[in-house]
Amino acid sequence: MSKIPPFDLSEQYKIIGDEVNAAVLAVLSSGRYIGGAAVEGFEQQFADYISTSECIACNSGTDALYLALRSLNIGAGDEVITTPFTFIATAEMISAVGATPVFVDIEAQTFNLDLDLVEAAMTERTRAILPVHLFGQPVDMTRLMAIAQRHNLAIIEDCAQAVGAEWAAQKVGSIGHIGCFSFYPTKNLGACGDGGAVTTNDPAIAARMRMLRDHGRRAGGYYHEAIGVNSRLDALQAAILQVKLRYLDTWNQQRRAIADRYQHLLQHVPNIAPPQEPVGGKGVWNQYTLRVLGHTHSAEQTKSSYRDAVRQQLQADGVSSMVYYPLPLHLQPIYTDQAQPPKLHPIAERAAGEVLSLPMFPELSPEEQDRVVYSLKDCLV
Ligand SMILES: *Cc1c(COP(=O)(O)O)cnc(C)c1O
């Protein structure tokens, strides 16, 4: 029996390969490889898609976070509130600009920042809140924006896993002050390499991010007004992303249909808790992540959980699954070598020991999905 991968990008290429090839060849023959019509066209189309006035393409989702933080002059002495249950880049870039990430625990149902805990984590140094729409499920942005307004804080949305997701019928990345996107190949809108973008409705912030992504200069001259970086999106990637953006809504609907089917097939299965879509939000299912329950563990024991045994057995059945993320950020070596013991975040720690992401990509067939569910049920008894 063939193996079922966690995602399969070659299937997508079989469908849109001709269009991608034509777009790539057009860039190659244009002779314009940095900037130019392909990049500007993509920026315009992506801004229209997210419904912001501005989009600045850059080299990765990581750089998008860096540019967002720098554009707000967040740096040494500042604190940014964020989640410990995310990919490292979220907190890493807060540290990279010289600020301190202040972790706040997550909600058990959505794996997203627990908004009940955010205000208690604020100090006079807090400058911004950096929520992550994890696995493609949106944070309650109505409530978060109200909190931010009350305390005069900026909101930088990490939308890396949530392109096209909505809160109260508005796209994520258009609600906070800045939205940060990744076009890493396995994201819902993936390039054939690295890529990223920031979105905003604030022209001054946009101008500053454009300047910072290009060595701290404006419009390509040799006058530098800030220490910037080289973080441009390649014209080749921009051309590929223009093609793929036209399919994004279809792919997101296919992911939704697959998620609905998983929900239906897994509803009465013991020892698991399927994911829940937040009321008021529309997710885009970058991952279908459930919890494997039934066994206790602590922060130290997350390495050998019941979940890991289930995962190994699935693997032996030819079904790939993934663990995002096995160690919360507040327990990572880079955030634990201070003098004091780390502040604990029990919901995130528990999630790290229980989460399991099942195969999820638009081309996953019902037959493959049936096999995943059949194997999982078999492993859980
Ligand atoms: C992928 C990802 C990033 C980083 O994006 P890159 O393009 O890989 O640099 C940041 N945050 C989250 C939540 C991500 O999933």
Side-chain angles (χ1 to χ4, degrees), residues 140-160:
D140 180 342
M141 290 303 293
T142 313
R143 205 175 148 208
L144 185 59
M145 292 312 289
I147 294 172
Q149 242 152 37
R150 215 155 43 234
H151 299 277
N152 198 23
L153 299 175
I155 299 290
I156 300 171
E157 297 177 69
D158 184 337
C159 308

Side-chain angles (χ1 to χ4, degrees), residues 189-212:
L189 177 62
C192 298
D194 276 312
V198 278
T199 52
T200 184
N201 285 312
D202 185 325
I205 291 175
R208 202 169 145 73
M209 292 194 288
R210 279 199 185 91
M211 189 243 311
L212 289 167

Side-chain angles (χ1 to χ4, degrees), residues 59-65 85-90 132-135 158-161 180-187 193-196 286 325:
N59 193 253
S60 67
T62 303
D63 281 2
L65 292 162
F85 198 59
T86 175
F87 181 59
I88 184 65
T90 313
V132 179
H133 306 293
L134 199 71
F135 304 143
D158 184 337
C159 308
Q161 300 182 7
C180 300
F181 292 87
S182 165
F183 307 125
Y184 185 79
T186 62
K187 310 291 166 139
D194 276 312
N286 180 245
Y325 296 90

Side-chain angles (χ1 to χ4, degrees), residues 82-106:
T82 194
T83 165
F85 198 59
T86 175
F87 181 59
I88 184 65
T90 313
E92 185 187 26
M93 289 305 105
I94 297 171
S95 301
V97 301
T100 303
V102 173
F103 297 114
V104 163
D105 209 353
I106 58 168

